[in-house]
């Protein structure tokens, strides 16, 4: 009888020990699987953009694109990331006239800012040579003046990292890394970058007032040029820089040079059409105060220089935009006060929320 009781005691203890071991055993990690949770684009009062149906924004796809955007592995010698020439405090642009690549070589054009690309419908780069944003994303990697790397080498470097194999699985359902998936992820991240909370946006929403100078500048910005009534004539900016995004999805020659002075043929290099000679993509004026220098070749350092160009510096050429040419004979009639007011209005387009948004900062 005693032996039977002793056996029961030991049996009970054994069960307790086994149970404890099961409770103390480490949990098995959840398997890495595709996560299709949609990324909610914060469009604010903007009209919803036409996003690519074959590349819907997901939280994991956007995150992967951000990883790639900030990773120096995409360049030769792992010395430069996309974010080095497109810095968030500078409106995801570069304040150098021409960005420096991995070999310290200058690029050929000023780095364009990256925001609100979801609303761009006329290709990418100053000359529009990339039809889709996914096409644009891969070209700087392979450009010898920029990141100077092969896609094959980038894929090899990323494939060696478990963190990337896992993230490609979350985004695309497979750990296989390809150039196409890289481009789709970077497209998603760049499409997610939105700027729509400037002082001017708050003014439109009735949350605050513009200063007297900013208000005078706003009126000038949207008022048309009138050569017959100079005192009622405006700066006529809206023709090219209109709508919520302050651009017009077109290519223009804005009177920077005469035909004899053309150094960059711009859009013509893509279309092979002489009518596109020296025409360039019209950029958004949002955050323009933090994205100097200006124009495709960075020739102007300040907004004051830009205003002076349109007021009194237009050069005639064979492909100049007719609206710009129309003002050349008289200029815009802007006084010193007008110029100051116009610049102050342009500064009201700066979006501090966008410039400091944690969602767009490096994930590393």
């Amino acid at each position: 009888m005693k032996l039977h009781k002793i056996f029961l005691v030991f049996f009970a203890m054994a069960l307790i020990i086994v149970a404890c071991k099961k409770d103390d055993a480490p949990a098995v990690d959840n398997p890495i699987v595709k996560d299709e949770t949609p990324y909610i684009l914060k469009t604010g009062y903007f009209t919803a953009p036409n996003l690519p149906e074959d590349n819907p924004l997901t939280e994991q796809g956007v995150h992967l694109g951000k990883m790639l955007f900030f990773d120096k592995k995409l360049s030769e010698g792992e010395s430069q990331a996309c974010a080095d020439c497109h810095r968030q405090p500078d409106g995801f642009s570069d304040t150098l006239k021409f960005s420096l690549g991995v070999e310290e070589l200058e690029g050929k054009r000023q780095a364009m800012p990256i925001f609100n690309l979801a609303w761009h419908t006329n290709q990418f780069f100053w000359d529009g040579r990339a039809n889709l944003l996914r096409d644009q994303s891969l070209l700087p990697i392979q450009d010898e003046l920029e990141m100077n790397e092969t896609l094959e080498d980038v894929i090899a470097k990323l494939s060696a990292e478990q963190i990337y194999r896992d993230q490609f699985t979350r985004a695309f359902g497979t750990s296989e890394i390809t150039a196409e998936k890289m481009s789709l992820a970077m497209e998603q991240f760049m499409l997610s970058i939105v700027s729509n909370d400037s002082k001017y946006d708050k003014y439109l929403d009735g949350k605050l007032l513009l200063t007297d100078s900013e208000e005078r500048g706003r009126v000038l910005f949207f008022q048309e040029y009138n050569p017959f009534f100079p005192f009622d004539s405006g700066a006529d900016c809206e023709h090219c820089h209109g709508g919520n995004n302050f651009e017009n999805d077109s290519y223009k020659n804005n009177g920077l040079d005469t035909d004899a002075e053309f150094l960059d043929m711009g859009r013509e290099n893509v279309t092979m059409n002489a009518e596109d000679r020296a025409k360039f993509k019209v950029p958004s004026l949002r955050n323009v105060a933090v994205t100097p220098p200006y124009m495709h070749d960075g020739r102007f350092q300040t907004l004051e220089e830009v205003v002076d160009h349109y007021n009194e510096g237009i050069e005639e050429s064979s492909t100049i935009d007719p609206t710009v040419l129309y003002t050349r004979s008289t200029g815009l009639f802007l006084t010193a006060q007008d110029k100051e007011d116009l610049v102050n209005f342009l500064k009201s387009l700066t979006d501090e929320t966008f410039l400091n948004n944690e969602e767009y900062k490096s994930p590393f």
Side-chain angles (χ1 to χ4, degrees), residues 26-220:
V28 177
D29 291 339
N30 292 327
I32 304 298
V33 296
K34 186 176 183 180
D35 181 352
E36 298 182 290
T37 303
Y39 179 91
I40 306 303
L41 194 67
K42 299 175 180 64
T43 58
Y45 68 92
F46 285 15
T47 302
N50 294 319
L51 297 172
E53 294 182 0
D54 62 343
N55 189 27
L57 272 61
T58 66
E59 290 184 359
Q60 297 302 331
V62 169
H63 184 71
L64 174 57
K66 179 163 61 172
M67 291 170 64
L68 295 169
F69 188 85
F70 282 93
D71 201 330
K72 296 180 186 292
K73 291 184 180 67
L74 273 62
S75 67
E76 178 189 39
E78 301 186 12
S79 57
Q80 189 174 71
C82 303
D84 290 326
C85 295
H86 297 279
R87 294 186 291 271
Q88 185 175 358
D90 303 321
F92 280 106
S93 182
D94 193 342
T95 54
L96 292 177
K97 182 175 182 179
F98 300 119
S99 299
L100 298 178
V102 294
E103 303 292 342
E104 296 296 312
L105 299 174
E106 287 187 336
K108 296 179 180 179
R109 294 176 182 147
Q110 219 278 317
M112 299 195 82
I114 296 175
F115 58 81
N116 294 354
L117 298 183
W119 287 272
H120 285 235
T121 61
N122 67 327
Q123 297 82 41
F124 300 93
F125 290 115
W126 281 105
D127 56 13
R129 65 186 182 275
N131 188 44
L132 298 173
L133 194 51
R134 67 192 67 170
D135 304 322
Q136 180 277 333
S137 69
L138 296 179
L139 294 180
I141 298 172
Q142 303 167 84
D143 192 312
E144 63 182 11
L145 296 179
E146 298 184 59
M147 302 170 83
N148 196 32
E149 184 58 287
T150 67
L151 296 179
E152 293 77 13
D153 283 351
V154 172
I155 292 170
K157 285 186 279 188
L158 298 180
S159 297
E161 300 283 341
Q162 185 68 49
I163 187 175
Y164 273 110
R165 296 196 298 272
D166 289 347
Q167 192 58 34
F168 271 86
T169 299
R170 295 187 187 98
F172 297 108
T174 172
S175 62
E176 180 188 12
I177 298 174
T178 67
E180 179 185 20
K181 292 173 189 171
M182 287 169 50
S183 71
L184 293 174
M186 286 189 283
E187 179 178 74
Q188 287 193 43
F189 173 60
M190 288 188 281
L191 288 173
S192 78
I193 301 174
V194 175
S195 175
N196 57 11
D197 194 34
S198 66
K199 181 177 183 179
Y200 177 67
D201 296 310
K202 293 181 176 72
Y203 157 80
L204 291 179
D205 197 30
K207 294 179 179 178
L208 51 76
L209 296 175
L210 299 177
T211 67
D212 290 344
S213 178
E214 291 167 344
E215 173 60 19
R216 290 194 300 267
R218 183 191 68 81
V219 173
L220 282 168

Side-chain angles (χ1 to χ4, degrees), residues 253-273:
N253 172 349
N254 61 341
L256 292 172
D257 300 301
T258 64
D259 288 77
E261 296 170 323
F262 289 162
L263 297 178
D264 188 335
M265 298 306 169
R267 183 69 173 156
E268 184 190 18
N269 291 336
V270 178
T271 65
M272 307 308 293
N273 184 343

